[in-house]
Amino acid sequence: MSVRRLVHRQTSGESSRVTRIAIAVTGATTVGDVAMIEHGPTSLHFETWGSGPPVLLLAPGGLRASRIATWSAAPWSPIDALADRFTVVGMDQRNTGPSFAPITAADGWPSYAADQLAVMDHLGFERFGVVGMCIGGAFIVELLTEAPTRVAAAVAMQPVGLDANRDAFREMFDAWRSEISEAHPEAGEDDWDGCWSNMFGGDDVLFSAPDDALASVPTPILVLQGADRYHPTSASRLLAEAAPAATLIEHWKDPDHAPAARAAVDEFLDAHVT
């Protein structure tokens, strides 16, 4: 059985959710407005804003920085944009911010998906929308193939992808390892090598799922195209072309196109996340 420790900050309505935690998990406690769930070695921190249908945010920043704070540096912050009508759920992925998990040779995209689903289970959200950027695109693809009934719709902004750039991801992984290795004395070379291989060692463009699996994903997806070393245009186009219910927005960052792109995201989420 997988084990997790969840740390949650909620801006309103905490009492009913803490009750849900206590029923679901033995040993759940609250300190002030922070609910903590003891589930062994993995710790996850997350926060919520607003009210309405749930939308899970999967932040940019790669393995090193996929956490809530990174959204402040993004071209568009879904926290600010969506909290007026959705329950927005942000989280720090394992081994970023205060979130923690041991490093093992079995770690991979399913490990992160299990964490993300644990957060939504903890909040009582069976079905939800997802907005992800950068590595968040790979997280989305894993969720759509591993738990397709859980995700009502997804917005993938400049998803990471493989296109003659594996060295860039190796550099990113090694930098992440260098930053956190002192906190992981349990991890040997085999553990780090297994984690690398599971995350970025394959040949599928979007990393987290086979390319040919995209054709069987029925979930509506809005893809905001990437165009750089980590987020190659080819990855965005593959997702948009292979997934049968996907739509591509090519231009969305520059001032001339940003308003229309943001309106398209609003319309998409309003239509599919209810």
Side-chain angles (χ1 to χ4, degrees), residues 31 52 163 172:
V31 180
D163 189 347
M172 177 198 70

Side-chain angles (χ1 to χ4, degrees), residues 17-44:
R17 290 182 180 169
V18 172
T19 300
R20 190 192 310 275
I21 297 165
I23 292 171
V25 180
T26 302
T29 60
T30 59
V31 180
D33 65 347
V34 178
M36 301 184 68
I37 299 180
E38 297 294 336
H39 260 239
T42 301
S43 305
L44 298 172

Side-chain angles (χ1 to χ4, degrees), residues 52-128:
V55 174
L56 173 64
L57 306 184
L58 302 175
L63 296 178
R64 298 172 64 185
S66 181
R67 54 182 178 262
I68 294 166
T70 306
W71 284 115
S72 64
W76 174 72
S77 172
I79 297 173
D80 298 332
L82 303 178
D84 63 330
R85 62 197 187 283
F86 294 100
T87 298
V88 178
V89 181
M91 64 181 291
D92 296 344
Q93 302 299 326
R94 56 173 53 203
N95 296 315
T96 68
S99 294
F100 177 87
I103 302 294
T104 77
D107 291 350
W109 300 106
S111 309
Y112 285 85
D115 291 346
Q116 294 149 16
L117 292 174
V119 169
M120 301 310 278
D121 288 345
H122 166 67
L123 289 171
F125 295 136
E126 176 64 25
R127 190 165 169 81
F128 49 88

Side-chain angles (χ1 to χ4, degrees), residues 151-251:
V151 181
V155 178
M157 298 185 283
Q158 60 178 46
V160 294
L162 184 65
D163 189 347
N165 59 351
R166 196 186 304 275
D167 60 327
F169 290 96
R170 183 79 239 194
E171 292 169 7
M172 177 198 70
F173 184 91
D174 289 345
W176 173 67
R177 173 181 174 175
S178 178
E179 287 182 3
I180 70 171
S181 59
E182 288 188 7
H184 291 276
E186 81 286 349
E189 286 298 323
D190 289 347
D191 295 307
W192 292 106
D193 289 346
C195 182
W196 156 259
S197 179
N198 294 336
M199 299 293 290
F200 300 109
D203 294 328
D204 294 300
V205 171
L206 295 170
F207 292 117
S208 59
D211 295 343
D212 58 10
L214 300 175
S216 62
V217 173
T219 310
I221 308 169
L222 187 64
V223 183
L224 279 60
Q225 183 169 282
D228 60 40
R229 188 184 189 197
Y230 291 99
H231 321 100
T233 299
S234 57
S236 296
R237 289 191 173 275
L238 173 66
L239 179 56
E241 293 170 3
T247 301
L248 179 68
I249 296 179
E250 294 184 355
H251 305 289

